[in-house]
Structures are given as structure tokens and as C-alpha cells.
Coordinates of all heavy atoms in Angstrom, one line a residue:
M1 N 24.2 16.2 -11.5 CA 24.5 15.9 -10.1 C 25.0 14.5 -9.9 O 24.4 13.5 -10.4 CB 23.2 16.2 -9.2 CG 23.6 15.9 -7.7 SD 22.1 16.3 -6.7 CE 22.5 17.9 -6.2
T2 N 26.1 14.3 -9.3 CA 26.7 13.0 -9.1 C 27.3 12.8 -7.7 O 28.3 13.1 -7.4 CB 27.8 12.8 -10.0 OG1 27.4 13.1 -11.4 CG2 28.3 11.3 -10.1
D3 N 26.4 12.3 -6.8 CA 26.7 12.2 -5.4 C 25.9 11.0 -4.9 O 25.3 10.3 -5.6 CB 26.7 13.5 -4.6 CG 25.3 14.1 -4.8 OD1 24.3 13.4 -5.0 OD2 25.2 15.4 -4.7
A4 N 25.9 10.9 -3.6 CA 25.2 9.8 -2.9 C 23.7 10.1 -2.6 O 23.1 9.4 -2.0 CB 25.9 9.5 -1.7
T5 N 23.2 11.1 -3.3 CA 21.8 11.4 -3.1 C 21.0 10.5 -4.1 O 21.7 10.0 -5.1 CB 21.5 12.9 -3.5 OG1 21.7 13.1 -4.9 CG2 22.2 13.8 -2.6
P6 N 19.8 10.2 -4.0 CA 19.0 9.5 -4.9 C 19.2 9.9 -6.3 O 19.4 9.1 -7.2 CB 17.6 9.5 -4.4 CG 17.7 9.7 -3.0 CD 19.0 10.6 -2.8
R7 N 19.2 11.2 -6.5 CA 19.3 11.8 -7.9 C 20.7 11.5 -8.5 O 20.9 11.1 -9.6 CB 19.0 13.3 -7.9 CG 19.2 13.9 -9.2 CD 18.7 15.4 -9.3 NE 18.9 15.9 -10.6 CZ 19.0 17.2 -10.8 NH1 18.7 18.1 -9.8 NH2 19.1 17.7 -12.0
G8 N 21.8 11.7 -7.6 CA 23.1 11.5 -8.1 C 23.3 10.0 -8.4 O 23.9 9.6 -9.3
M9 N 22.7 9.1 -7.5 CA 22.9 7.7 -7.7 C 22.2 7.2 -9.0 O 22.7 6.4 -9.8 CB 22.3 6.9 -6.5 CG 23.2 7.1 -5.3 SD 22.7 6.0 -3.9 CE 20.9 6.3 -3.7
G10 N 21.1 7.9 -9.3 CA 20.3 7.5 -10.5 C 21.1 8.0 -11.6 O 21.1 7.3 -12.7
C11 N 21.8 9.1 -11.7 CA 22.6 9.6 -12.7 C 23.7 8.5 -13.0 O 24.1 8.3 -14.2 CB 23.2 10.9 -12.5 SG 22.0 12.2 -12.5
V12 N 24.4 8.2 -12.0 CA 25.5 7.1 -12.1 C 25.0 5.9 -12.7 O 25.6 5.3 -13.6 CB 26.3 7.0 -10.9 CG1 27.3 5.9 -10.9 CG2 27.1 8.3 -10.5
R13 N 23.9 5.3 -12.1 CA 23.4 4.1 -12.6 C 23.0 4.2 -14.2 O 23.4 3.3 -14.9 CB 22.2 3.7 -11.8 CG 21.6 2.4 -12.3 CD 20.3 2.1 -11.6 NE 20.4 2.0 -10.2 CZ 19.5 1.4 -9.4 NH1 18.5 0.7 -9.9 NH2 19.7 1.4 -8.1
H14 N 22.4 5.3 -14.4 CA 22.1 5.4 -15.8 C 23.3 5.5 -16.8 O 23.2 4.9 -17.8 CB 21.2 6.8 -15.9 CG 20.8 7.1 -17.4 ND1 19.7 6.5 -17.9 CD2 21.2 7.9 -18.3 CE1 19.5 6.9 -19.2 NE2 20.4 7.8 -19.4
A15 N 24.3 6.2 -16.3 CA 25.6 6.4 -17.1 C 26.3 4.9 -17.3 O 26.9 4.7 -18.3 CB 26.5 7.2 -16.4
F16 N 26.0 4.0 -16.4 CA 26.5 2.6 -16.7 C 25.5 1.7 -17.4 O 26.0 1.0 -18.2 CB 26.7 1.9 -15.2 CG 28.1 2.3 -14.6 CD1 28.1 3.3 -13.5 CD2 29.2 1.7 -15.0 CE1 29.2 3.6 -13.0 CE2 30.4 2.0 -14.4 CZ 30.4 3.0 -13.3
V17 N 24.2 1.8 -17.1 CA 23.3 1.0 -17.7 C 23.0 1.3 -19.2 O 22.9 0.3 -20.0 CB 22.0 0.9 -16.8 CG1 21.0 0.1 -17.5 CG2 22.3 0.3 -15.4
E18 N 22.8 2.5 -19.5 CA 22.4 2.8 -20.9 C 23.5 2.3 -21.9 O 23.1 1.7 -22.9 CB 22.2 4.3 -21.1 CG 20.9 4.8 -20.6 CD 19.7 4.1 -21.3 OE1 19.8 4.0 -22.5 OE2 18.8 3.6 -20.6
P19 N 24.8 2.5 -21.8 CA 25.7 1.9 -22.7 C 25.7 0.4 -22.6 O 25.9 -0.2 -23.7 CB 27.1 2.4 -22.2 CG 26.8 3.7 -21.5 CD 25.5 3.4 -20.8
L20 N 25.5 -0.2 -21.5 CA 25.4 -1.6 -21.5 C 24.2 -2.1 -22.3 O 24.4 -3.1 -23.0 CB 25.2 -2.1 -19.9 CG 25.0 -3.6 -19.7 CD1 26.2 -4.4 -20.1 CD2 24.8 -3.7 -18.2
L21 N 23.1 -1.5 -22.2 CA 21.9 -1.9 -23.0 C 22.1 -1.7 -24.5 O 21.7 -2.4 -25.3 CB 20.7 -1.1 -22.5 CG 20.1 -1.5 -21.1 CD1 19.1 -0.6 -20.6 CD2 19.8 -3.0 -21.0
R22 N 22.8 -0.5 -24.8 CA 23.0 -0.2 -26.3 C 24.1 -0.9 -26.9 O 24.0 -1.3 -28.1 CB 23.3 1.3 -26.4 CG 22.0 2.2 -26.4 CD 22.3 3.6 -26.7 NE 22.9 4.3 -25.4 CZ 24.0 4.8 -25.4 NH1 24.9 4.8 -26.4 NH2 24.6 5.3 -24.3
Q23 N 25.2 -1.1 -26.2 CA 26.4 -1.6 -26.8 C 26.9 -3.0 -26.3 O 27.8 -3.7 -26.8 CB 27.6 -0.6 -26.5 CG 27.3 0.7 -27.0 CD 28.2 1.8 -26.5 OE1 29.1 1.5 -25.6 NE2 28.1 3.0 -26.9
G24 N 26.1 -3.5 -25.2 CA 26.5 -4.8 -24.7 C 27.7 -4.8 -23.7 O 28.2 -5.8 -23.4
K25 N 28.2 -3.6 -23.4 CA 29.3 -3.5 -22.5 C 29.2 -2.3 -21.6 O 28.9 -1.2 -22.1 CB 30.6 -3.3 -23.4 CG 31.9 -3.3 -22.6 CD 33.0 -3.1 -23.4 CE 34.3 -3.0 -22.7 NZ 34.5 -1.8 -21.9
A26 N 29.4 -2.4 -20.3 CA 29.3 -1.3 -19.4 C 30.6 -0.5 -19.5 O 31.7 -1.0 -19.6 CB 29.1 -1.8 -18.0
P27 N 30.5 0.8 -19.3 CA 31.7 1.6 -19.3 C 32.5 1.5 -17.9 O 31.9 0.9 -17.0 CB 31.2 3.1 -19.4 CG 29.8 3.0 -18.8 CD 29.3 1.6 -19.2
T28 N 33.7 1.9 -17.9 CA 34.5 1.9 -16.6 C 34.0 3.1 -15.8 O 33.4 4.0 -16.3 CB 36.0 2.0 -16.9 OG1 36.2 3.3 -17.5 CG2 36.4 0.9 -17.8
R29 N 34.5 3.1 -14.6 CA 34.3 4.2 -13.6 C 34.9 5.4 -14.2 O 34.3 6.5 -14.1 CB 34.8 3.9 -12.2 CG 34.1 2.7 -11.6 CD 34.8 2.2 -10.3 NE 35.8 3.0 -9.6 CZ 37.1 2.8 -9.6 NH1 37.6 1.9 -10.5 NH2 37.9 3.6 -9.0
M30 N 36.0 5.3 -14.8 CA 36.8 6.5 -15.3 C 35.9 7.0 -16.6 O 35.8 8.3 -16.7 CB 38.2 6.1 -15.9 CG 39.1 5.7 -14.7 SD 39.5 7.1 -13.6 CE 40.7 8.0 -14.5
E31 N 35.4 6.1 -17.4 CA 34.6 6.6 -18.5 C 33.3 7.3 -18.0 O 32.9 8.3 -18.6 CB 34.3 5.4 -19.4 CG 35.5 4.9 -20.2 CD 35.2 3.5 -20.8 OE1 34.3 2.7 -20.4 OE2 35.9 3.3 -21.8
V32 N 32.7 6.8 -17.0 CA 31.5 7.4 -16.5 C 31.9 8.7 -15.9 O 31.1 9.7 -16.1 CB 30.8 6.5 -15.4 CG1 29.8 7.3 -14.7 CG2 30.2 5.3 -16.2
A33 N 33.0 8.8 -15.1 CA 33.4 10.1 -14.6 C 33.6 11.2 -15.8 O 33.1 12.3 -15.6 CB 34.7 10.0 -13.8
A34 N 34.2 10.7 -16.8 CA 34.4 11.7 -17.9 C 33.1 12.0 -18.6 O 33.0 13.2 -18.9 CB 35.4 11.0 -19.0
T35 N 32.2 11.1 -18.8 CA 30.8 11.4 -19.4 C 30.1 12.4 -18.6 O 29.5 13.4 -19.0 CB 30.0 10.1 -19.5 OG1 30.7 9.2 -20.4 CG2 28.6 10.4 -20.1
L36 N 30.1 12.2 -17.2 CA 29.4 13.1 -16.3 C 30.2 14.4 -16.0 O 29.6 15.2 -15.2 CB 29.0 12.3 -15.0 CG 28.1 11.2 -15.3 CD1 27.9 10.4 -13.9 CD2 26.7 11.6 -15.9
E37 N 31.5 14.4 -16.4 CA 32.3 15.6 -16.1 C 32.5 15.8 -14.6 O 32.3 17.0 -14.1 CB 31.8 16.9 -16.8 CG 31.8 16.7 -18.3 CD 31.2 17.9 -19.0 OE1 30.6 18.9 -18.4 OE2 31.4 18.0 -20.3
V38 N 32.8 14.8 -13.9 CA 33.1 14.8 -12.5 C 34.3 13.9 -12.2 O 34.8 13.2 -13.0 CB 31.9 14.3 -11.7 CG1 30.7 15.1 -11.8 CG2 31.6 12.8 -11.8
G39 N 34.9 14.0 -11.0 CA 35.9 13.2 -10.6 C 35.5 11.9 -10.4 O 34.3 11.6 -10.0
V40 N 36.4 10.9 -10.5 CA 36.1 9.4 -10.3 C 35.7 9.2 -8.8 O 34.9 8.3 -8.5 CB 37.2 8.5 -10.7 CG1 38.4 8.5 -9.8 CG2 36.7 7.1 -10.9
G41 N 36.2 10.0 -7.9 CA 35.8 9.9 -6.5 C 34.3 10.2 -6.3 O 33.7 9.4 -5.4
R42 N 33.7 11.0 -7.1 CA 32.2 11.2 -6.9 C 31.5 10.0 -7.5 O 30.5 9.7 -7.0 CB 31.8 12.5 -7.6 CG 32.4 13.8 -6.8 CD 31.9 15.0 -7.3 NE 30.6 15.2 -6.9 CZ 29.8 16.3 -7.2 NH1 30.3 17.2 -8.0 NH2 28.5 16.4 -6.9
V43 N 32.0 9.4 -8.6 CA 31.3 8.2 -9.1 C 31.4 7.1 -8.1 O 30.6 6.4 -7.8 CB 32.0 7.8 -10.4 CG1 31.5 6.5 -10.9 CG2 31.7 9.0 -11.5
D44 N 32.6 7.0 -7.4 CA 32.9 5.9 -6.5 C 31.9 6.1 -5.3 O 31.4 5.1 -4.7 CB 34.3 6.0 -6.0 CG 35.3 5.4 -7.0 OD1 34.8 4.8 -8.0 OD2 36.5 5.6 -6.9
A45 N 31.7 7.4 -4.8 CA 30.8 7.6 -3.8 C 29.3 7.1 -4.1 O 28.6 6.6 -3.3 CB 30.9 9.1 -3.3
A46 N 28.9 7.5 -5.3 CA 27.5 7.1 -5.7 C 27.5 5.6 -5.9 O 26.5 5.1 -5.5 CB 27.2 7.8 -7.1
L47 N 28.6 5.0 -6.4 CA 28.5 3.5 -6.5 C 28.4 2.9 -5.1 O 27.7 1.8 -5.0 CB 29.7 3.0 -7.2 CG 29.7 3.2 -8.8 CD1 31.1 2.8 -9.3 CD2 28.6 2.4 -9.4
A48 N 29.2 3.4 -4.1 CA 29.1 2.9 -2.8 C 27.7 2.9 -2.3 O 27.2 2.0 -1.6 CB 30.2 3.5 -1.9
A49 N 27.1 4.1 -2.5 CA 25.8 4.2 -2.0 C 24.7 3.4 -2.7 O 23.9 2.8 -2.1 CB 25.3 5.7 -2.2
L50 N 25.0 3.1 -4.0 CA 24.1 2.1 -4.6 C 24.3 0.7 -4.2 O 23.5 -0.1 -4.2 CB 24.4 2.2 -6.2 CG 23.8 3.4 -7.0 CD1 24.4 3.5 -8.3 CD2 22.3 3.1 -7.2
E51 N 25.6 0.4 -3.9 CA 25.8 -0.9 -3.4 C 25.3 -1.2 -2.1 O 24.6 -2.2 -1.7 CB 27.3 -1.2 -3.3 CG 27.7 -2.6 -2.9 CD 29.2 -2.9 -2.9 OE1 30.1 -2.0 -2.5 OE2 29.6 -3.9 -3.5
A52 N 25.2 -0.2 -1.3 CA 24.6 -0.2 0.1 C 23.0 -0.5 0.0 O 22.5 -1.0 0.9 CB 24.9 1.0 1.0
T53 N 22.4 0.0 -1.2 CA 21.0 -0.2 -1.4 C 20.8 -1.3 -2.3 O 19.6 -1.4 -2.8 CB 20.4 1.1 -1.9 OG1 20.9 1.5 -3.1 CG2 20.5 2.3 -0.9
H54 N 21.8 -2.1 -2.5 CA 21.7 -3.3 -3.5 C 21.4 -3.0 -4.9 O 20.8 -3.7 -5.6 CB 20.7 -4.3 -2.9 CG 20.9 -4.7 -1.4 ND1 22.0 -5.4 -1.1 CD2 20.2 -4.3 -0.3 CE1 22.0 -5.6 0.2 NE2 20.9 -4.9 0.6
G55 N 21.8 -1.7 -5.4 CA 21.6 -1.3 -6.7 C 22.7 -1.8 -7.6 O 22.4 -1.9 -8.9
V56 N 23.9 -2.1 -7.1 CA 25.0 -2.6 -7.8 C 25.7 -3.6 -6.9 O 25.6 -3.5 -5.7 CB 26.0 -1.5 -8.4 CG1 25.3 -0.6 -9.4 CG2 26.7 -0.9 -7.1
V57 N 26.5 -4.4 -7.6 CA 27.5 -5.2 -6.8 C 28.9 -4.8 -7.3 O 29.1 -4.9 -8.6 CB 27.3 -6.8 -7.0 CG1 28.4 -7.6 -6.3 CG2 25.9 -7.2 -6.5
L58 N 29.8 -4.4 -6.5 CA 31.1 -3.9 -7.0 C 32.2 -5.0 -6.8 O 32.2 -5.8 -5.8 CB 31.4 -2.7 -6.2 CG 30.6 -1.5 -6.2 CD1 31.0 -0.4 -5.4 CD2 30.4 -1.1 -7.7
D59 N 33.2 -5.1 -7.7 CA 34.3 -5.8 -7.6 C 35.1 -5.4 -6.4 O 35.4 -4.3 -6.3 CB 35.1 -5.8 -8.9 CG 36.3 -6.6 -8.8 OD1 37.2 -6.5 -7.9 OD2 36.6 -7.3 -9.8
P60 N 35.4 -6.3 -5.4 CA 36.1 -5.9 -4.2 C 37.5 -5.3 -4.5 O 38.0 -4.6 -3.6 CB 36.0 -7.1 -3.4 CG 35.8 -8.3 -4.3 CD 35.1 -7.7 -5.5
H61 N 38.1 -5.7 -5.5 CA 39.5 -5.3 -5.8 C 39.6 -4.0 -6.6 O 40.4 -3.2 -6.5 CB 40.3 -6.4 -6.5 CG 40.2 -7.7 -5.8 ND1 41.0 -7.9 -4.5 CD2 39.5 -8.9 -5.9 CE1 40.7 -9.0 -4.1 NE2 39.8 -9.7 -4.8
S62 N 38.7 -4.0 -7.7 CA 38.9 -2.8 -8.7 C 37.9 -1.7 -8.4 O 38.1 -0.6 -8.8 CB 38.7 -3.3 -10.1 OG 37.3 -3.6 -10.3
G63 N 36.7 -2.0 -7.7 CA 35.7 -1.0 -7.5 C 34.7 -0.9 -8.7 O 33.8 -0.2 -8.7
E64 N 35.0 -1.7 -9.8 CA 34.2 -1.6 -11.0 C 32.9 -2.4 -10.7 O 32.9 -3.4 -9.9 CB 34.9 -2.2 -12.2 CG 36.1 -1.4 -12.6 CD 35.8 0.0 -13.2 OE1 34.7 0.3 -13.7 OE2 36.7 0.9 -13.2
P65 N 31.8 -2.0 -11.3 CA 30.6 -2.8 -11.1 C 30.6 -4.1 -11.8 O 31.2 -4.4 -12.9 CB 29.5 -2.0 -11.9 CG 30.1 -0.6 -11.8 CD 31.6 -0.8 -12.0
W66 N 30.3 -5.2 -10.9 CA 30.2 -6.6 -11.4 C 28.7 -6.8 -11.8 O 28.6 -7.5 -12.8 CB 30.5 -7.5 -10.2 CG 31.8 -8.1 -10.1 CD1 32.9 -8.0 -11.0 CD2 32.4 -8.8 -9.0 NE1 33.9 -8.7 -10.7 CE2 33.7 -9.3 -9.4 CE3 31.8 -9.3 -7.8 CZ2 34.5 -9.9 -8.5 CZ3 32.6 -10.0 -6.9 CH2 33.9 -10.4 -7.3
V67 N 27.8 -6.4 -11.0 CA 26.4 -6.6 -11.4 C 25.7 -5.2 -11.3 O 25.8 -4.5 -10.3 CB 25.7 -7.6 -10.4 CG1 24.3 -7.7 -10.7 CG2 26.4 -8.9 -10.3
L68 N 25.0 -5.0 -12.4 CA 24.1 -3.7 -12.4 C 22.7 -4.1 -12.5 O 22.3 -5.1 -13.3 CB 24.5 -2.8 -13.7 CG 25.9 -2.3 -13.8 CD1 26.2 -1.9 -15.2 CD2 26.0 -1.2 -12.9
H69 N 21.9 -3.6 -11.7 CA 20.4 -3.9 -11.7 C 19.7 -2.9 -12.5 O 19.4 -1.9 -12.0 CB 19.9 -4.0 -10.3 CG 20.7 -5.0 -9.4 ND1 20.4 -6.4 -9.6 CD2 21.6 -4.9 -8.4 CE1 21.2 -7.1 -8.8 NE2 21.9 -6.1 -8.1
P70 N 19.5 -3.2 -13.8 CA 18.9 -2.3 -14.8 C 17.3 -2.2 -14.6 O 16.7 -1.8 -15.7 CB 19.4 -2.7 -16.0 CG 19.3 -4.2 -16.0 CD 19.9 -4.4 -14.5
T71 N 16.7 -2.4 -13.6 CA 15.3 -2.6 -13.5 C 14.6 -1.3 -13.8 O 13.5 -1.3 -14.2 CB 14.8 -3.0 -12.1 OG1 15.3 -2.1 -11.1 CG2 15.3 -4.4 -11.8
R72 N 15.3 -0.1 -13.6 CA 14.6 1.2 -14.0 C 15.3 1.9 -15.2 O 15.0 3.1 -15.4 CB 14.7 2.1 -12.8 CG 13.9 1.5 -11.6 CD 13.9 2.5 -10.5 NE 13.2 1.9 -9.4 CZ 13.7 1.8 -8.1 NH1 14.9 2.3 -7.8 NH2 12.9 1.3 -7.2
A73 N 16.0 1.1 -15.9 CA 16.7 1.7 -17.1 C 15.7 2.1 -18.2 O 16.0 3.0 -19.0 CB 17.8 0.7 -17.6
R74 N 14.7 1.4 -18.3 CA 13.7 1.6 -19.3 C 12.3 1.5 -18.8 O 12.0 0.7 -17.8 CB 13.7 0.6 -20.5 CG 15.0 0.6 -21.3 CD 14.9 -0.5 -22.4 NE 16.1 -0.9 -22.8 CZ 16.3 -1.8 -23.7 NH1 15.3 -2.4 -24.3 NH2 17.5 -2.3 -24.0
R75 N 11.4 2.3 -19.4 CA 10.0 2.2 -18.9 C 9.4 0.9 -19.3 O 9.5 0.4 -20.5 CB 9.3 3.3 -19.5 CG 7.7 3.3 -19.1 CD 7.0 4.5 -19.7 NE 7.7 5.7 -19.3 CZ 7.4 6.9 -19.7 NH1 6.5 7.1 -20.6 NH2 7.9 7.9 -19.2
P76 N 8.8 0.1 -18.4 CA 8.2 -1.2 -18.8 C 7.2 -1.0 -19.8 O 6.4 -0.1 -19.8 CB 7.6 -1.6 -17.5 CG 8.3 -0.8 -16.4 CD 8.6 0.4 -17.0
Q77 N 7.1 -2.0 -20.7 CA 6.1 -2.0 -21.8 C 5.0 -3.0 -21.5 O 5.3 -4.1 -21.0 CB 6.8 -2.3 -23.1 CG 8.0 -1.3 -23.5 CD 7.2 0.1 -23.7 OE1 6.3 0.3 -24.4 NE2 7.9 1.1 -23.2
P78 N 3.8 -2.7 -21.9 CA 2.7 -3.7 -21.7 C 3.1 -5.0 -22.3 O 3.6 -5.0 -23.5 CB 1.5 -3.1 -22.4 CG 1.7 -1.6 -22.3 CD 3.3 -1.5 -22.5
G79 N 2.9 -6.1 -21.6 CA 3.2 -7.4 -22.0 C 4.5 -8.0 -21.7 O 4.9 -9.0 -21.8
S80 N 5.3 -7.0 -21.1 CA 6.7 -7.4 -20.6 C 6.8 -7.8 -19.2 O 6.3 -7.0 -18.4 CB 7.8 -6.4 -21.0 OG 7.5 -5.2 -20.2
R81 N 7.3 -8.9 -18.9 CA 7.6 -9.3 -17.5 C 6.6 -8.8 -16.4 O 6.8 -8.0 -15.6 CB 9.0 -8.9 -17.1 CG 10.0 -9.5 -17.9 CD 11.3 -9.5 -17.2 NE 12.2 -10.4 -18.1 CZ 13.3 -10.8 -17.6 NH1 13.8 -10.4 -16.4 NH2 14.0 -11.5 -18.4
G82 N 5.5 -9.4 -16.4 CA 4.4 -9.2 -15.4 C 3.6 -7.9 -15.5 O 2.8 -7.7 -14.8
I83 N 3.7 -7.3 -16.6 CA 2.9 -6.1 -16.8 C 1.9 -6.6 -17.9 O 2.2 -6.8 -19.1 CB 3.7 -4.9 -17.3 CG1 4.7 -4.5 -16.2 CG2 2.8 -3.7 -17.6 CD1 5.7 -3.4 -16.7
R84 N 0.7 -6.6 -17.5 CA -0.4 -7.1 -18.3 C -0.9 -5.9 -19.2 O -1.0 -4.8 -18.8 CB -1.5 -7.7 -17.5 CG -1.1 -8.8 -16.8 CD -2.0 -9.6 -15.9 NE -3.3 -9.2 -16.1 CZ -4.4 -9.5 -15.3 NH1 -4.2 -10.3 -14.2 NH2 -5.6 -9.1 -15.5
K85 N -1.3 -6.3 -20.4 CA -1.8 -5.2 -21.3 C -3.1 -4.7 -20.9 O -3.5 -3.6 -21.2 CB -1.9 -5.9 -22.7 CG -0.6 -6.1 -23.4 CD -0.7 -6.7 -24.8 CE 0.6 -6.9 -25.4 NZ 0.6 -7.5 -26.7
D86 N -3.9 -5.5 -20.1 CA -5.2 -5.1 -19.7 C -5.2 -4.2 -18.5 O -6.2 -3.7 -17.9 CB -6.1 -6.2 -19.4 CG -5.7 -7.1 -18.3 OD1 -4.7 -6.8 -17.6 OD2 -6.3 -8.2 -18.1
G87 N -3.9 -3.8 -18.0 CA -3.8 -3.0 -16.9 C -3.8 -3.6 -15.5 O -3.6 -3.0 -14.5
G88 N -4.1 -4.9 -15.5 CA -4.2 -5.6 -14.2 C -3.0 -6.1 -13.7 O -1.9 -6.0 -14.0

């Protein structure tokens, strides 16, 4: 599902963030649309919704993501950034 629902926004965010984490480069909107097998308009709608909730910052000219907030891209591991191993 790729739309402005939370689930659709999560799919789009994941489609941008995972390649960024693995390859060091985020895909384009067209590449994400092809990966998700949807039109770029649906990706754009999800990106606009993510931008409204501060999940991404979009380039005002191209519509491509400038800033992706990958805070939910991976499950936090004990000992990483404020997560204590003792559970506190």
C-alpha cells in the first residue's frame, strides 16, 4: 500500500531509507515508485504527507527528499543512543 495513510507513508519511508542505509545513497522518487510498483504520484502523495508530519524534508524544486529521518528504520539495539542494556 502506498498512499497517505500511516501504513503507506511507512512503506515509502522504508523504500527510501533501507537503500540509504545499505548503499549510502537514497533512491529517486521514480526508483521508489518502480520498486513499489505504483505511480510516482502515489509516492509524491505519501512524501507530502510525511513532510507534513516532519518525517522528511523535500527539495522545493524537484520534490526529491533532502532529509530522511530514519529513526524507525532499524530496531534499536541495547547500548545504542539512549537505550540502556539494563532496560532502564
